[in-house]
DNA sequence: ACATAACCGAGACGGTACGTCAGGTCTTGAC
DNA sequence: GTCAAGACCTGACGTACCGTCTCGGTTATGT
């Protein structure tokens, strides 16, 4: 993951190799500070100080705060939305949504997700990276839905894009607006209503 | 609307009256700059310069950029999502969503909405004002759905909160992530799928 | 004193009369704040708040902080340097200097004097008012010295201006630089050396 | 001189070296503006603009306007009052005072000195720096007087502090109050009267 | 083995905007 | 006509971070 985002930048031709230690320290410090302060209060300078890594070193490897935070978060979240495969579409969706809701119930995780979404609105460069990540999450759901189509649990002409929007949309909306809590218990209701809408 | 947000601050007891002119100039400048530059690039100093109003005067009436922008936007958007009442739940929803999608198709409007949502993630104070506004929008939909229940187009035990999330959630999600265009033509499909999900 | 500085400004022609109360409150507040905070920290706004008098009212009667402070201080200091007349030049000078040193030993008085001198350096308008006051003090010493000349204790061709500079100069210098304390006990030594210099 | 005031701040341990160019530009701009506008009208922002150096860089090296001006002036004035050594006390004093009066006759120099003295009254931190500088000037005079004592031109029990006050006091007093011009021709008279006072 | 080049720390630098403060002017309405 | 209240423009304040740029010093190759 790391490499995909920030390494493979120039062909090596001698010279000191990149310090894994500095790299880790930066990501760790970024993660810690995000949890402590929230996205906006986190600054590159703060991360530099906390991690003991020079500001210029950070700028060498990440172009912006958003990109850095993205990477700091990417590893952790890989586990969060594993692709379920229970044999039943409904159970798959329930599992998936339950996972999602559970993750977002952790305040730290919720804060990060909200900060990332905010940054994506404000920084076009970061938006691209963020969208790339989102597409990955969407693909997981797409796979589940495709299996549902194969099993004839869903109509073959289903508009996948819209369908996936119905999975993630209400979740993000509630996460971002905060008008109601994100209770993992709601995952089942969400999934049920969702399925009814998708089935012709 | 304006008054609800920033006036009624202290009862008049002598003193020069607040300049309507300055107030308007600030909101106008804020609106213009938002369209030109996008949320992040807009600064209080820029607004002050453009409007010819002193920075301190701006800070007297608005605590943050977000609050100001909120007010600048609130008036304009009041028209955008009027409550439809066609006699048919489906047509009401279609009208409502079509309006929503149409508004968001204007890049300027989309930019504003995204900026506001971002700010709400980053500034707790602003989040409150934003949520207040969002609740207003939600209430419009709630009224539509309640009429649907009265007409027995929807089950009486419908969870309104979840239902409204299904209306706004996919819309905002697509607006914020930008993985697919917000085509007003999709409003009908969205409404249809939605209704199927809501009807027991 | 007060009137000389700030009243007799416009011929009265009906209307509400000037509030003596406001006037006193301002001077009192100014005096208090000067002692509490020192010259620089005192602001017109602070005086307005403390005295309960409107800022605009203050500006109506005094053109600047310096002028106000000057007036606040003028009454009090009238007592400080009364003209001594003991019959002996030496004793007159000792009395005069002792008075001076004693006044400056009070921190509050020292602070005021230093603030006034500072303001005089920075504001030409105020400098004029300040110089007017200083000339009054100098005249007191001039009278003492003239009596000394009459009694033949001093040469008749004495340069009074230089002579008075020798009286006040070292005093102010020490007060302003603060390199050594202003001990009233030093007044005698100062007077003695002074006399020796003045006598041909 | 410069180093004593603002450099030798932290031992080099990596990091870009301080820009002599920026340093000089700031001092030059400060000097120019002082002459053009006078102490009070000079602002850090003005100096930043004139010098082309960022405000933050100025604040990095000087804590206040006074400190900066002090340094801007300190170098220039080092030459102004060199220690005279003519072999005769009287001639030494005359030379010294003539120098002093001549410097203060230049309006620019007078303005600076007055501004520095004012600032010293208003800012305790600056007062310390100013006093340090004053002590240096005093030490020059002390050396002259000590030679006078060695040559038995002055009594051995002379109170040096008071003596030096008599040298600088009347000078500063006249400079600050402005009741009479500072004519270099007066230096001789001043010195004469002074000596008479000091000699037992 | 040792030069080369990329790495890294420190931190100075020019910037931009921040949010605050006080100054001084003006307007309103009560007395 | 004076006064308290307080809105207003102005301008400077001192701070925080930004992203860039030297520095001096430290590794790992790769020849």
């Amino acid at each position: 993951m790391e490499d995909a985002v920030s390494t493979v930048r120039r062909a090596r031709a001698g010279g000191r190799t990149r310090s894994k230690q500095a790299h880790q320290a930066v990501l760790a410090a970024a993660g810690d500070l995000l949890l402590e302060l929230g996205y906006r209060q986190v600054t590159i300078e703060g991360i530099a100080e906390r991690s003991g890594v020079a500001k210029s070193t950070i700028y060498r490897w990440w172009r912006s705060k958003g990109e850095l935070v993205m990477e700091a978060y990417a590893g952790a979240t890989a586990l969060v939305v594993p692709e379920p495969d229970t044999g039943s579409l409904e159970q798959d969706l329930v599992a998936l949504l339950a996972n999602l809701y559970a993750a977002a119930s952790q305040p730290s995780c919720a804060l990060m997700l909200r900060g990332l979404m905010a940054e994506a609105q404000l920084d076009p460069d970061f938006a691209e990276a963020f969208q790339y990540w989102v597409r990955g999450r969407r693909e997981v759901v797409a796979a589940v839905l495709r299996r549902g189509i194969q099993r004839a649990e869903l109509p073959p002409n289903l508009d996948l894009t819209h369908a996936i929007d119905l999975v993630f949309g209400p979740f993000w909306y509630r996460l971002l607006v905060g008008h109601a809590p994100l209770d993992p218990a709601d995952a089942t209701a969400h999934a049920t209503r969702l399925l009814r809408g998708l089935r012709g």
Side-chain angles (χ1 to χ4, degrees), chain A residues 31-49:
Chain A
D32 290 358
L33 288 171
L34 277 169
L35 299 193
E36 282 175 36
L37 308 172
Y39 186 86
R40 172 158 286 182
Q41 322 304 332
V42 171
T43 64
I44 298 277
E45 276 191 344
I47 295 171
E49 191 179 3

Side-chain angles (χ1 to χ4, degrees), chain A residues 10-186:
Chain A
R10 49 185 99 236
R12 291 277 293 101
R16 180 176 178 173
T17 53
R18 176 174 181 184
S19 159
K20 286 286 174 201
Q21 192 180 326
H23 188 251
Q24 288 310 320
V26 169
L27 291 178
D32 290 358
L33 288 171
L34 277 169
L35 299 193
E36 282 175 36
L37 308 172
Y39 186 86
R40 172 158 286 182
Q41 322 304 332
V42 171
T43 64
I44 298 277
E45 276 191 344
I47 295 171
E49 191 179 3
R50 171 75 68 102
S51 66
V53 168
K55 209 164 46 143
S56 52
T57 301
I58 296 179
Y59 277 108
R60 194 192 316 280
W61 300 111
W62 295 276
R63 270 173 309 179
S64 68
K65 178 169 76 162
E67 209 172 81
L68 201 175
V69 169
M70 193 71 196
E71 187 173 333
Y73 188 53
T77 204
L79 326 164
V80 162
V81 191
E83 182 177 338
D85 190 359
T86 61
S88 147
L89 175 61
E90 177 155 15
Q91 291 195 8
D92 278 4
L93 282 177
V94 167
L96 202 146
L97 283 168
N99 247 327
L100 210 55
Y101 279 59
S105 306
Q106 291 178 281
S108 64
C109 179
L111 262 176
M112 277 201 201
L113 287 172
R114 294 172 60 198
L116 293 172
M117 182 60 96
E119 186 66 13
Q121 306 313 306
L122 301 171
D123 177 349
D125 282 344
F126 176 67
E128 207 175 333
F130 182 70
Q131 210 182 95
Y132 176 81
W133 175 76
V134 168
R135 284 187 200 279
R137 305 299 111 209
R138 289 175 66 85
E139 204 44 54
V140 171
V141 177
V144 166
L145 294 177
R146 280 199 206 93
R147 281 203 304 273
I149 294 173
Q150 283 176 344
R151 286 192 299 254
E153 294 182 85
L154 290 173
N157 63 336
L158 181 70
D159 181 334
L160 270 183
T161 303
H162 283 155
I164 301 173
D165 285 359
L166 283 173
V167 175
F168 286 115
F171 163 76
W172 272 103
Y173 177 63
R174 189 171 280 202
L175 174 65
L176 296 171
V177 174
H179 56 288
L182 271 169
D183 190 342
D186 294 335

